[in-house]
Amino acid sequence: MTPQKLYEGKAKIVWATENPGEVAQQFKDDATAFDGKKKGQIAGKGARNARISAVLFRLLEENGVATQLLDQIFDDTLLCKKLDMYPVEVVVRNYAAGSICKRLGFEEGARFKAPLLEFFLKDDSLGDPLVTDAHIAELELVSGEELAEIKRLALKINSVLTGFFAERGVMLVDFKLEFGKDREGDIILGDEISPDTCRFWDANTKKKLDKDRFRRDLGEVEEAYAEMLKRVEK
Ligand code: TMP
Ligand code: ASP
């Protein structure tokens, strides 16, 4: 049987499996930035991100956060529970970087008093705009009760990951999460956590070890992904 492609995104392909409750997520070497305006390839990224995401999802499971991950079935492919995804991206920020610097004038690297949560509507045609709780309610993207649970989970994930990376000499500057609902109606962490979806800085040198090296043409892009895999597997 030829595998059936359910969806192809900028960095992943989702394949159907023989089990209707499960999908296989294949991580690609393709990279895009700025709403797909910048395109490229990062050699070895697919396999490295699949591995990094698998390790981090297992760590979160061990800490009581339910995730979509079932198994790593190929170097670049994770078997996952099928979820009904919410159309929002949840960003957690510990230090200022990226869009919040442009939007609100923070200096890059400024530490927030408390982790900052932001929500973005997943809609390429609108450029994934920031949405407030009121927008989320008006657009009926997530119910009030679900939003409270998503916020609780995002902060829990932040505290688990911040500690894990600190032990590995990495500052977790910010990251993006996506959640979905399973057949039982439980809210589950989906998608990925990788250098594509996080900002990681070396704690001593502040060297960027994530996709910003690609976004901003900083060089040593592959090396950054390799370095983060090494630290995650330490
Ligand atoms: P931002 O500063 O561009 O808003 O990004 C915040 C974090 O979210 C950063 O770690 C990168 C991640 N991110 C994604 O994973 N996907 C995206 O499409 C964008 C814009 C950011
Ligand atoms: N992947 C996103 C895009 O292509 C943005 C990013 O990660 O910078 O728009």
Side-chain angles (χ1 to χ4, degrees), residues 1-198:
M1 196 182 84
T2 333
Q4 194 203 343
K5 205 188 268 191
L6 294 177
Y7 168 81
E8 179 155 5
K10 287 178 274 206
K12 281 195 292 299
I13 302 174
V14 181
W15 300 95
T17 68
E18 59 282 5
N19 183 334
E22 297 177 0
V23 292
Q25 295 209 39
Q26 183 179 10
F27 289 64
K28 303 197 286 188
D29 286 355
D30 295 347
T32 66
F34 315 117
D35 282 331
K37 286 184 213 62
K38 180 180 170 84
K39 287 193 175 71
Q41 289 248 316
I42 301 173
K45 173 170 86 74
R48 287 181 178 132
N49 277 1
R51 187 75 210 135
I52 291 169
S53 203
V55 171
L56 297 177
F57 274 35
R58 280 188 195 129
L59 169 76
L60 291 168
E61 289 275 357
E62 286 161 16
N63 284 275
V65 176
T67 79
Q68 178 178 40
L69 178 68
L70 298 169
D71 194 13
Q72 178 156 11
I73 49 174
F74 299 108
D75 279 359
D76 64 351
T77 306
L78 304 182
L79 184 66
C80 296
K81 192 175 199 181
K82 192 169 181 175
L83 300 178
D84 190 11
M85 299 302 289
Y86 296 107
V88 290
E89 298 191 338
V90 183
V91 169
V92 184
R93 301 182 189 271
N94 295 305
Y95 298 87
S99 69
I100 200 167
C101 295
K102 284 201 195 123
R103 202 175 339 111
L104 296 173
F106 286 105
E107 197 178 322
E108 188 178 74
R111 192 189 177 116
F112 295 120
K113 296 182 190 80
L116 216 80
L117 286 183
E118 290 180 342
F119 296 87
F120 294 87
L121 175 65
K122 270 176 77 81
D123 185 327
D124 281 340
S125 70
L126 296 175
D128 292 352
L130 180 94
V131 283
T132 65
D133 287 26
H135 298 145
I136 291 172
E138 175 59 35
L139 294 167
E140 296 181 4
L141 304 175
V142 181
S143 76
E145 206 177 303
E146 289 166 337
L147 188 60
E149 176 64 1
I150 287 173
K151 289 178 182 176
R152 187 189 72 79
L153 288 168
L155 293 174
K156 167 90 189 277
I157 291 166
N158 185 47
S159 84
V160 173
L161 294 183
T162 299
F164 176 84
F165 284 112
E167 285 168 10
R168 287 157 178 79
V170 174
M171 280 166 66
L172 179 58
V173 173
D174 61 28
F175 57 99
K176 185 265 300 177
L177 301 169
E178 295 187 30
F179 293 91
K181 220 193 295 200
D182 67 9
R183 281 191 288 195
E184 288 74 45
D186 290 323
I187 298 177
I188 312 285
L189 177 67
D191 198 51
E192 67 179 288
I193 303 180
S194 73
D196 273 10
T197 64
C198 302

